Amino acid sequence: MAEKHYDPHAIEPKWQAVWERDRLYSVVEDDERPKKYVLEMFPYPSGDIHMGHVRNYSIGDVVARYYTMRGYNVLHPIGWDAFGLPAENAAIKSGTHPAEWTYANIDKQAASFKRMGFSYDWDRIVKTCDPEYYRWGQWIFLKFWERGLVERKSSPVNWCPSCKTVLANEQVIGDGVCWRCKSVVEKRELEQWFFKITAYAQELLDDLQKLPGWPERVKTMQANWIGRSEGAEVDFTLCDADGTPTDRRITVFTTRPDTLFGCTFFLLAPEHPLVDELVAGTEFEPAVRSVVEAAARESAIERQSGEARKIGAFIGRYVVNPVNGEKVPVWVANYVLMEYGTGAVMAVPCGDQRDFEFARQYGLPIPPVVVADDDALLDKLRGEGGRLIDDVPWDAAYDGPGVMVQSGEFTGMRGGKGSEGSKAVTAWLEERGLGRPAVNFRLRDWLISRQRYWGNPIPAIHCDRCGLVPVPEEELPVVLPMDVDITKGETLADHPEFYRVTCPRCGGAARRETDTMDTFTCSSWYYLRYCDARNDEEIFDKEKAAYWMPVDQYIGGIEHAILHLLYSRFFTKVFRDMGLVGFDEPFTNLLTQGMVKKDGETMSKSKGNVVAPEEMIARFGADALRAYILFMAPPDKDLEWSQEGLEGIYRFLNRVWRYVCDVYEQPGSAASGGSRADALERQRHRVIGKVTEDVERFQFNTALAAMMELLNAASEYRRDVPAEERDGEAEKRVARTLVLLLAPYAPHMAEELWHEVLGESESVHRQPWPEWDPELARAREVEYAVQVNGKVRGRVTLPADASAEQVEAAARELPKVAELLDRGEVVKVVVVPGKLVSFVVRG
RNA sequence: GCCCGGGUGGCGGAACUGGCAGACGCGUCGGUCUCAAAAACCGAUGGCCGAAAGGUCGUGCGGGUUCGAUUCCCGCCCCGGGCACCA
């Protein structure tokens, strides 16, 4: 018989050892049972675990344990996203090698996860810094290369001066700062490696519709990030210095071809190569130069703040507007982005706020071409195809739908985004070879090279004769050398033993690529590796992946709404096209958990408000900590840490413990227990139903509340009814139910009670989920609220199957109600079955 | 500026599909036990008026629909997040 006293510090290590010895959570493919793949985003081995980890992995653990009890074959793996900059920073600070620091932290975190009692299949562990793992990342790189998805190109890239490396666009967040260190990033023109994620832009957007199990807000963020725009490309003819049209064309992208007649100037980005070419040696050069230089000096913040002053200069050339043959001046302007579209823009000041401001600033004409239906200008311009008016009495551009005016043969048509007029103008241009329908995306290619040491080496070789040469597949992995002294600021580029190679193609002297891959490449496919983690023949066995994938439930932080989740979707689609997997999307359902806060702020060392999970385990045990973090709030909301709340849950676990022990030591003795025992049994069924429903919609807080209610009711029954009148079997059913329902939340305590008090021999975590009968759960009697003119004036208790007439009659008999009804005329009676009666009285 | 979330007691949070607002927990107050304290147990606990019965107000603010609104509609305010010169 168990100790009467609940002692988490004795039972938790005991069961952790048993589970590990029995490999309780190790799984293999099994066609007899339906599978569930429950996955939490794997951690970065930063050191001690924090409350965010506790929350993330507790949620996943409850889900995994629940589905196991429901009879599913559940895959629930863990691993470490182990490459990355903090290891290098730690190395510089303390002199330990990044590898040493990383592996020590992994061991530390793994020990903490075991102390938390998480049900991981430890046989499938993955560490991305192991050559056995990263070699497949290199293999992926080669396969992407074969498929034309790898590109090395020069472009303006984001440079983090603090991390001393380039960053992908997704990794520049907020006001132009680095996602990791929050430093302001700089723009640099560099030659870098890219993955061509834009080749999948349309599909990444379309397939969001295949994800009903994802939060709307994540899908919206991704859709905005991809940023699809529909419109047209329009070719403008460049004139020579004398104003004579040449045969050179400059193409622009526009979403508003219907406004082409309102184009009164033409803009080039400061970085546009034509600027230099066209202006060199002319009288316009000094003014243009100063604009270009001013633009280059603008920081990311200034440029993105929207308040940056618009500046520009005429470059002395003209282009011909294809739709009306008009010559319009070409300007350089700082608000035109080289990275979007073609780096050239047709300016329509009446319809675009930026162009409007620019025109006003430099005194350029603003002829209206699309006017709102209620605009006074319409009276004057309706049906006017020519240019009657050259300015507008507006103080802002109008970009809404309206009537086309001063637009030649298109005058009178509906204008606006995607309008009839837009389509007509595009068709007209296409017939004459001057334009065509086009789609543009905001999404850019994924810059994957990093100028850092602690990462996966890019398997490529630079040969003076052969150019860029992939490392042959059979030479993988390109092993990251361990003898790089990071404390001296060394990288692979300082390591001749690493980069001096012979070219695999011509055998001549060549130089190995010394950049490493973005760590997000490591985390874009780890969920597939879990399906077959120990395979050293191939990336994973297709059959095994086909069995487990896709991930049925993915759980992680909202901060990856774009980054990791977009990259993983991209990898999955490429893998599908390679024939490795047979599905489009890796994560069927996604749960984004909220942050754990203290005093309204995120916990951080610098704020000194960190609550260490290990300390809480030491005081109250892992079970209490797990249950508490789930009880505090629904998982997707931020939660506020409070020590007192944890003590409350600890008390609850103690009460469960005592109740179960008491019931099994001294059960009631009556053969059948009468109405109170019936009511208790009814509640037991109801609570099982409630807890089941709540786990499935991730309302762990209300599931625990329901268990508390059951315990409260059972305790009152025990307190109020003497032993000889109590139904001992009913009490034992409640105790057993509580143990089973609590097993996913407090796995150690449940296991201890299951074995030592209930006397069972098989693990509680292998038991079927308790069954319930909705029929038995239904109440026999219902209390009706009786309202008169919307206010509750009395209550009646009636059998659950009472008819509306019976309910109304009973309500009318209440003295207070009768009195109120007598005061006037009853004009309406509403009976809501099982809930209330409402009388409407006039008079 | 645009797009998403969210505003409910002293606190964390409940409330199915429009049906008794505040489940459950914390805290607080009172009590039992104790020489005392802790623990445990019992009871009270949205505001205001009232000795009580009861009344009345109350889910960010202002309107509306309805017998009935935390829930639906319109207009605002505040907080959090995302995007932001994307043509």
Side-chain angles (χ1 to χ4, degrees), chain A residues 94-389:
Chain A
S94 68
T96 46
H97 192 276
E100 195 186 321
W101 183 87
T102 301
Y103 283 105
N105 279 346
I106 288 174
D107 289 346
K108 206 169 169 186
Q109 282 194 356
S112 287
F113 288 167
K114 285 179 182 176
R115 270 193 290 280
M116 285 299 296
F118 296 138
S119 60
Y120 297 127
D121 181 347
W122 294 98
D123 298 332
R124 292 172 185 265
I125 206 161
V126 149
K127 301 168 190 173
T128 60
C129 62
D130 284 344
E132 297 75 37
Y133 182 85
Y134 69 68
R135 66 172 292 186
W136 299 112
Q138 294 172 4
W139 179 83
I140 290 166
F141 182 94
L142 296 180
K143 293 295 151 187
F144 277 31
W145 201 342
E146 282 171 23
R147 302 184 72 81
L149 294 170
V150 171
E151 194 179 12
R152 193 173 156 85
K153 65 182 176 190
S154 181
S155 74
V157 295
N158 308 298
W159 172 265
C160 174
S162 162
C163 297
K164 294 191 172 54
T165 184
V166 294
L167 297 171
N169 276 307
E170 293 79 11
Q171 294 159 23
V172 180
I173 56 164
D175 296 322
V177 301
C178 170
W179 71 285
R180 251 205 71 255
C181 68
K182 311 282 188 285
S183 310
V184 176
V185 305
E186 299 164 3
K187 283 277 174 198
R188 287 195 181 181
E189 181 78 24
L190 290 170
E191 194 171 323
Q192 297 290 315
W193 293 94
F194 291 84
F195 276 168
K196 290 169 94 173
I197 190 170
T198 53
Y200 286 81
Q202 187 66 53
E203 206 194 340
L204 286 165
L205 180 66
D206 291 343
D207 284 1
L208 290 172
Q209 281 160 21
K210 293 182 183 167
L211 298 171
W214 279 37
E216 221 42 58
R217 131 180 123 107
V218 174
K219 288 189 278 186
T220 306
M221 281 167 73
Q222 290 212 358
N224 290 341
W225 186 261
I226 295 166
R228 184 183 197 272
S229 293
E230 234 171 90
E233 280 176 2
V234 183
D235 303 331
F236 283 69
T237 303
L238 180 67
C239 297
D240 64 19
D242 303 326
T244 313
T246 66
D247 53 6
R248 284 182 78 173
R249 285 177 173 184
I250 312 177
T251 301
V252 297
F253 172 75
T254 178
T255 56
R256 295 293 304 277
D258 59 312
T259 63
L260 202 39
F261 283 83
C263 170
T264 49
F265 50 102
F266 190 94
L267 300 170
L268 293 174
E271 305 88 351
H272 200 289
L274 272 180
V275 173
D276 231 24
E277 184 194 324
L278 298 181
V279 90
T282 72
E283 57 181 300
F284 305 99
E285 186 169 4
V288 169
R289 274 272 135 76
S290 94
V291 169
V292 169
E293 279 159 21
R297 274 196 306 273
E298 282 181 336
S299 73
I301 285 187
E302 284 164 342
R303 188 144 184 181
Q304 286 178 5
S305 69
E307 285 154 27
R309 230 171 281 109
K310 290 178 174 48
I311 50 167
F314 177 50
I315 72 163
R317 293 287 193 107
Y318 292 83
V319 289
V320 180
N321 185 341
V323 86
N324 57 9
E326 226 175 86
K327 276 185 205 162
V328 296
V330 179
W331 288 59
V332 62
N334 65 336
Y335 69 93
V336 178
L337 305 173
M338 191 59 218
E339 304 94 89
Y340 186 78
T342 61
V345 170
M346 63 178 232
V348 182
C350 73
D352 182 286
Q353 186 57 27
R354 297 157 299 181
D355 299 340
F356 183 88
E357 287 167 23
F358 193 81
R360 279 278 153 90
Q361 193 175 324
Y362 290 101
L364 296 157
I366 311 179
V369 289
V370 173
V371 292
D373 298 298
D374 58 357
D375 195 297
L377 274 179
L378 195 51
D379 297 333
K380 209 185 296 179
L381 292 174
R382 192 187 296 280
E384 180 58 56
R387 178 80 54 83
L388 205 65
I389 291 179

Side-chain angles (χ1 to χ4, degrees), chain A residues 116 459 479 721:
Chain A
M116 285 299 296
V479 176
V721 182

Side-chain angles (χ1 to χ4, degrees), chain A residues 468-486:
Chain A
L468 287 170
V469 182
V471 172
E473 212 174 305
E474 56 278 8
E475 287 178 23
L476 298 186
V478 175
V479 176
L480 184 71
M482 286 296 123
D483 54 348
V484 171
D485 191 349
I486 188 79

Side-chain angles (χ1 to χ4, degrees), chain A residues 39-51:
Chain A
L39 182 66
E40 302 102 57
M41 290 180 187
F42 67 166
Y44 179 80
S46 50
D48 295 315
I49 62 163
H50 53 71
M51 283 301 170

Side-chain angles (χ1 to χ4, degrees), chain A residues 652-653 656 704 707 737-747 749-750:
Chain A
F652 166 65
L653 293 183
V656 172
L704 281 158
M707 292 182 228
T737 298
L738 278 171
V739 171
L740 289 166
L741 292 181
L742 211 45
Y745 302 81
M749 186 184 96

Side-chain angles (χ1 to χ4, degrees), chain A residues 425-604:
Chain A
V425 173
T426 307
W428 187 94
L429 290 167
E430 198 170 16
E431 277 165 31
R432 288 156 184 80
L434 299 167
R436 60 217 64 87
V439 169
N440 233 291
F441 292 94
R442 184 185 169 282
L443 182 72
R444 314 284 159 72
D445 279 330
W446 175 11
L447 197 173
I448 57 146
S449 37
R450 295 290 177 273
Q451 291 71 45
R452 302 298 309 195
Y453 161 66
W454 190 237
N456 191 1
I458 292 174
I461 288 165
H462 302 262
C463 173
D464 288 340
R465 266 155 300 187
C466 312
L468 287 170
V469 182
V471 172
E473 212 174 305
E474 56 278 8
E475 287 178 23
L476 298 186
V478 175
V479 176
L480 184 71
M482 286 296 123
D483 54 348
V484 171
D485 191 349
I486 188 79
T487 61
K488 291 187 190 140
E490 284 181 10
T491 67
L492 295 177
D494 304 304
H495 212 262
E497 296 85 345
F498 178 77
Y499 65 70
R500 274 192 202 138
V501 288
T502 53
C503 172
R505 208 161 278 170
C506 69
R511 185 186 165 90
R512 189 188 291 288
E513 173 62 56
T514 54
D515 280 357
T516 51
M517 274 186 254
D518 183 5
T519 54
F520 281 101
T521 62
C522 300
S523 55
S524 294
W525 62 281
Y526 75 106
Y527 45 90
L528 282 158
R529 183 68 180 172
Y530 280 144
C531 297
D532 192 16
R534 300 280 85 86
N535 195 332
D536 52 15
E537 301 291 315
E538 53 186 339
I539 182 167
F540 53 80
D541 179 78
K542 279 195 228 172
E543 299 284 312
K544 287 181 178 171
Y547 176 83
W548 291 114
M549 287 292 294
V551 173
D552 295 281
Q553 185 62 56
Y554 200 30
I555 304 155
I558 186 75
E559 66 273 17
H560 288 108
I562 293 168
L563 295 159
H564 162 63
L565 292 168
L566 187 67
Y567 297 146
S568 295
R569 296 182 60 222
F570 164 55
F571 265 50
T572 298
K573 290 178 192 305
V574 181
F575 286 2
R576 177 205 58 203
D577 292 345
M578 288 164 63
L580 286 173
V581 301
F583 45 86
D584 300 320
E585 288 290 336
F587 314 124
T588 307
N589 295 292
L590 174 69
L591 175 66
T592 51
Q593 106 263 10
M595 288 182 297
V596 182
K597 297 186 163 188
K598 180 85 195 298
D599 314 316
E601 295 184 287
T602 52
M603 290 188 189
S604 75

Side-chain angles (χ1 to χ4, degrees), chain A residues 6-116:
Chain A
Y6 168 53
D7 181 7
H9 306 300
I11 60 183
E12 291 182 356
K14 168 181 155 188
W15 289 109
Q16 285 156 16
V18 172
W19 298 335
E20 187 156 2
R21 183 198 69 204
D22 295 348
R23 289 255 181 285
L24 194 70
Y25 309 112
S26 294
V27 290
V28 290
E29 299 74 43
D30 174 4
D31 289 325
E32 299 297 300
R33 283 187 296 162
K35 69 91 184 179
K36 269 290 176 197
Y37 188 170
V38 178
L39 182 66
E40 302 102 57
M41 290 180 187
F42 67 166
Y44 179 80
S46 50
D48 295 315
I49 62 163
H50 53 71
M51 283 301 170
H53 291 124
V54 169
R55 192 176 194 195
N56 194 181
Y57 302 119
S58 293
I59 293 166
D61 202 49
V62 167
V63 173
R65 288 178 185 277
Y66 166 75
Y67 281 113
T68 302
M69 292 175 84
R70 290 309 301 251
Y72 289 88
N73 190 25
V74 175
L75 175 58
H76 188 214
I78 189 72
W80 278 270
D81 188 12
F83 272 137
L85 206 43
E88 290 189 32
N89 293 338
I92 292 163
K93 215 170 160 186
S94 68
T96 46
H97 192 276
E100 195 186 321
W101 183 87
T102 301
Y103 283 105
N105 279 346
I106 288 174
D107 289 346
K108 206 169 169 186
Q109 282 194 356
S112 287
F113 288 167
K114 285 179 182 176
R115 270 193 290 280
M116 285 299 296

